Amino acid sequence: MPRVLVDATAVPADRGALGRYVDGLIAALHRADADLAVACQRSDEERYAALAPKARVVAGPPAIVHRPARLAWEQTGLPFVAKQVGADVIHAPYYSTPLRPGVPVVVTVHDVTYFAEPEVHNPVKATYIKSATRTAVRRAARLIVPSKATRDEMVRLLRADPTRIDVAYHGVDHAIFHPPGEEERRRVSDRLGLHGHPYIAFLGALEPRKNVPNLIRGWVRAADGLKDAPALVLATSGGWDDEVDAALADVPHQLRVLRPGYLRWSSLPGFFGGALVVALPSRGEGFGLPVLEAMSCGAAVLTTHRSSLPEVGGDAVAYTEPDAESIGAALSTLIADDARRGALAEAAAARAAEFTWTASAEAHLASYQRAAEQ
């Protein structure tokens, strides 16, 4: 088994999707007895030492909390760490990679919607990720993607060699994301100020590809005129979709929209599991981790047929087209059908149980082995 250095220096403090991927993977690699080293920010040194006690954890300089310094350090400091710890392979879990690594590099490419739909991404971020992805396709020993849809899009859009691409589905931490009890649901409902009132839940960034304006307009179509209309709760820690405020301005006064901001992980089971519907009508995802996490909490989930999402949801979620009229019709159907929501919730929890970080780690280890043997 090769010694692998996982570069965790890009993980943000809020442990978004990238953080959940890297944390879940490192813990599972440790449980699989991988020969492991981890490069990270100083604030994460104790975290990774706890997640992987047998791993060699190396903290980078304080300046790498800033992206320009981190990218510069990646080119010189990361290869030095790889040599220092005797790594046979470097795993770069966020697109970019050192140009002269000294050992084979495995790069995770999470998403190619930056090429398929560049208009729904921040232009600065899209320019960086597109450049890093092209470099990875040319130079990496192996490429890891979280879905077959992403693999196929890489081949179609970037002419990537399919024999160098390994699919490794994400997992979900079932200890954190679990069907909540009544007390968990009540506690979250009370914190939101809903006190048992029904609601439609959304979790994610306010980015154009998340399709929040059409979700708002679709919810208005479904809820307006209902006697006990569900509220819409948009749980998000930020974003840049300028159409969100315009859509909110057209919401009738009798309907209620809540924007609680960032929700702690401990609140998410109650938030997802307590919702009438978790609506995540994205225009495209590399995987769709929030969909899986909501499923793991026993939620009735509404998403789209786009990109990887059917690979995650299977027959255990409801689907809609991404336009407001279709979202509204799908929400109306689910709001009115208690039995359908219950059946989806049960099927979702069962399907989510099939996605584990243990299985993901096995797929990653196989990719590392192939890289080391090239």
Side-chain angles (χ1 to χ4, degrees):
M1 186 180 296
R3 165 162 280 204
V4 179
L5 171 63
V6 179
D7 177 14
T9 57
V11 172
D14 67 2
R15 319 316 281 191
L18 174 63
R20 299 202 292 283
Y21 163 59
V22 174
D23 290 0
L25 176 62
I26 286 175
L29 288 171
H30 174 72
R31 292 194 298 270
D33 291 326
D35 191 354
L36 192 63
V38 180
C40 64
Q41 296 184 23
R42 290 194 175 183
S43 58
D44 283 332
E45 188 173 7
E46 291 185 6
R47 181 184 191 89
Y48 288 118
L51 285 175
K54 297 178 184 178
R56 174 81 178 274
V57 179
V58 180
I64 65 171
V65 297
H66 305 290
R67 193 175 76 170
R70 183 185 67 77
L71 292 174
W73 181 86
E74 178 181 79
Q75 296 303 315
T76 57
L78 187 62
F80 175 78
V81 172
K83 185 176 181 179
Q84 182 184 34
V85 302
D88 300 303
V89 174
I90 293 173
H91 178 197
Y94 189 65
Y95 299 98
S96 61
T97 176
L99 298 178
R100 294 179 176 83
V103 296
V105 178
V106 176
V107 180
T108 300
V109 176
H110 296 272
D111 187 356
V112 289
T113 62
Y114 294 92
F115 296 92
E117 293 187 279
E119 71 278 3
V120 302
H121 293 281
N122 178 291
V124 174
K125 183 177 180 181
T127 297
Y128 156 67
I129 289 182
K130 287 166 72 175
S131 175
T133 302
R134 289 191 181 100
T135 299
V137 167
R138 290 196 309 269
R139 304 179 70 98
R142 305 294 301 179
L143 299 163
I144 291 178
V145 295
S147 65
K148 295 175 183 176
T150 299
R151 177 198 61 195
D152 295 345
E153 286 291 271
M154 285 188 68
V155 173
R156 182 178 71 86
L157 295 171
L158 298 173
R159 298 183 179 179
D161 179 358
T163 67
R164 292 174 48 235
I165 304 174
D166 300 311
V167 176
Y169 289 120
H170 292 336
V172 62
D173 188 332
H174 296 284
I176 296 175
F177 296 96
H178 58 270
E182 181 59 36
E183 175 60 24
E184 287 180 279
R185 295 194 294 268
R186 184 198 61 77
R187 185 165 60 246
V188 171
S189 180
D190 288 349
R191 285 177 180 171
L192 292 171
L194 290 168
H195 305 292
H197 189 82
Y199 64 94
I200 308 298
F202 168 84
L203 178 75
L206 297 182
E207 298 176 357
R209 71 176 171 137
K210 301 299 184 182
N211 205 26
V212 175
N214 277 344
L215 170 58
I216 296 168
R217 298 179 186 116
W219 162 73
V220 169
R221 287 172 176 266
D224 197 19
L226 292 181
K227 182 178 179 181
D228 193 25
L232 177 63
V233 183
L234 303 175
T236 175
S237 57
W240 55 281
D241 190 339
D242 296 334
E243 291 188 23
V244 171
D245 288 339
L248 288 172
D250 291 334
V251 173
H253 67 88
Q254 71 271 20
L255 297 181
R256 189 175 181 187
V257 181
L258 300 178
R259 301 178 68 177
Y262 177 80
L263 293 181
R264 295 176 298 175
W265 281 22
S266 59
S267 298
L268 293 181
F271 177 64
F272 284 142
L276 278 181
V277 178
V278 176
L280 302 165
S282 175
R283 291 174 54 174
E285 297 288 339
F287 179 76
L289 195 54
V291 170
L292 178 60
E293 291 167 345
M295 291 167 61
S296 189
C297 295
V301 178
L302 176 66
T303 188
T304 68
H305 290 283
R306 299 301 178 89
S307 58
S308 64
L309 294 168
E311 289 182 62
V312 179
D315 295 329
V317 302
Y319 292 99
T320 178
E321 292 300 315
D323 61 279
E325 184 175 358
S326 297
I327 294 170
L331 282 175
S332 291
T333 299
L334 289 171
I335 289 170
D337 193 339
D338 293 351
R340 172 66 172 155
R341 294 198 314 274
L344 285 173
E346 184 176 349
R351 181 172 175 83
E354 300 173 9
F355 290 83
T356 67
W357 285 118
T358 297
S360 185
E362 290 174 357
H364 281 76
L365 285 169
S367 187
Y368 301 154
Q369 187 68 51
R370 294 184 190 108
E373 293 172 351
Q374 288 185 211

